[in-house]
Amino acid sequence: MSPKLAIVTGANKGIGFAIVRGLCKRFDGVVYLTSRDEERGKTAVLELNKEGLNPKYHQLDITDSKSLEVFRDYIKEKYGGIDVLVNNAAIAFKTNATEPVAVQAAETLRVNYFAVLATCEILFPLLRNGARVVNISSSCGHLSNIPSESLRNQLKDPKLTIPELSTLMNKYIKEAKQGTQSAEWGNSSYNVSKVGLTALTMIQQRLLSDRDIKVNAVHPGYVDTDMTSHKGPLSIYEGAAAPLFLALDAPDTVRGQYVWYDKRIVNWDGQRP
């Protein structure tokens, strides 16, 4: 009988690291810390070893399909399936970034939406019945961040498919390159990427409900990390609380939801808290 298995992407620092730490303390099974940079990932594992915690490590670059396939094959052969998957890996350009909007749009969506989608497409076949998937979104992932009512209606359409959602994300990239994105999409590629991820969560839940798999998106709070330039008031451990709740504690009825850092279920397409 294979042990239960939990995987966290982008986990060598920040919220991902704190989620691995929390899982190691409470999850009844094997926990994998993954990261793009192998040296940093192994250093993070050593930090947790000092606390008496013993996560496993595997290199994983979610933007590289070969890396994803190697990881999938390894997990399939060694464990047979996945019980918890936390999609945490993401990027954010700083507010003073000098890269053109077109570059920021393409790169942010490439990592935060399309690479997460690829991760799911490659790893979801390994999800065991009853598994839990936690997509790390953001307050920026609330639908109210999209100015266009027409776009909001498309994104929340209960019949929206993943190919249609991906077409919308590519439409944003194209319009950002043309400099025509602001009126409908707003001026933040990060917002669009996280709205896309939250919309993806809703679709994934619809597709997996018949297998008792729970897929939820979570805003972990404004956390003191490199991504926020250490401006967030919450510690990484406070930021890990809601993701850990969804991974371990949330009732089985919590599925296809957008959950706030204080564990409240928030209306994704309603008024922002």
Side-chain angles (χ1 to χ4, degrees):
M1 182 73 176
S2 297
K4 285 191 172 184
L5 179 68
I7 295 165
V8 185
T9 68
N12 63 281
K13 62 180 181 178
I15 295 170
F17 176 84
I19 293 171
V20 169
R21 181 176 180 266
L23 287 169
C24 285
K25 287 174 176 283
R26 296 190 48 222
F27 180 68
D28 182 21
V30 177
V31 180
Y32 265 83
L33 184 157
T34 71
S35 66
R36 180 180 56 181
D37 186 292
E38 188 168 352
E39 184 176 341
R40 291 176 183 174
K42 290 182 174 179
T43 298
V45 167
L46 290 175
E47 284 297 311
L48 293 169
N49 290 162
K50 293 175 185 177
E51 294 187 52
L53 305 174
N54 295 291
K56 304 286 188 182
Y57 178 75
H58 200 288
Q59 190 275 340
L60 179 63
D61 180 353
I62 68 166
T63 67
D64 180 348
S65 60
K66 181 63 177 176
S67 177
L68 284 164
E69 289 165 0
V70 166
F71 182 61
R72 175 202 61 201
D73 294 346
Y74 170 81
I75 293 298
K76 185 176 182 179
E77 181 179 350
K78 192 169 181 67
Y79 300 98
I82 299 168
D83 299 280
V84 172
L85 173 62
V86 181
N87 287 307
N88 171 73
I91 64 165
F93 284 86
K94 305 298 184 185
T95 53
N96 62 351
T98 57
E99 290 87 348
V101 170
V103 172
Q104 293 189 36
E107 184 64 9
T108 303
L109 272 289
R110 182 180 78 91
V111 177
N112 295 2
Y113 174 77
F114 287 104
V116 176
L117 173 58
T119 301
C120 294
E121 289 179 336
I122 289 172
L123 295 184
F124 271 17
L126 297 185
L127 292 176
R128 295 187 176 111
N129 285 348
R132 294 181 173 215
V133 178
V134 183
N135 292 330
I136 306 297
S137 185
S138 164
S139 60
C140 297
H142 195 276
L143 196 57
S144 63
N145 289 301
I146 302 298
S148 165
E149 182 179 2
S150 173
L151 277 175
R152 292 198 302 272
N153 287 336
Q154 291 178 70
L155 288 162
K156 69 181 182 182
D157 185 342
K159 296 179 181 177
L160 183 68
T161 65
I162 290 176
E164 289 168 346
L165 175 59
S166 295
T167 295
L168 286 172
M169 295 296 102
N170 277 317
K171 181 174 183 282
Y172 166 74
I173 295 171
K174 180 180 179 181
E175 291 181 7
K177 288 178 179 178
Q178 296 170 341
T180 60
Q181 83 285 359
S182 297
E184 289 195 315
W185 295 94
N187 290 307
S188 170
S189 293
Y190 186 77
N191 285 6
V192 174
S193 74
K194 290 300 186 179
V195 167
L197 178 62
T198 310
L200 177 64
T201 302
M202 310 302 176
I203 301 171
Q204 289 173 334
Q205 182 61 72
R206 294 202 309 268
L207 296 174
L208 292 169
S209 284
D210 63 342
R211 293 185 52 204
D212 190 33
I213 292 171
K214 280 71 70 174
V215 188
N216 292 288
V218 61
H219 161 46
Y222 193 31
V223 179
D224 178 2
T225 63
D226 289 347
M227 191 176 284
T228 66
S229 300
H230 299 282
K231 294 177 181 177
L234 301 180
S235 72
I236 58 172
Y237 305 109
E238 290 171 313
L244 286 168
F245 166 73
L246 288 171
L248 300 171
D249 303 316
D252 283 351
T253 52
V254 179
R255 53 182 73 197
Q257 300 292 345
Y258 179 55
V259 176
W260 222 240
Y261 66 92
D262 57 6
K263 305 173 188 173
R264 282 181 298 143
I265 293 175
V266 169
N267 185 356
W268 176 57
D269 61 355
Q271 187 171 2
R272 178 173 158 166

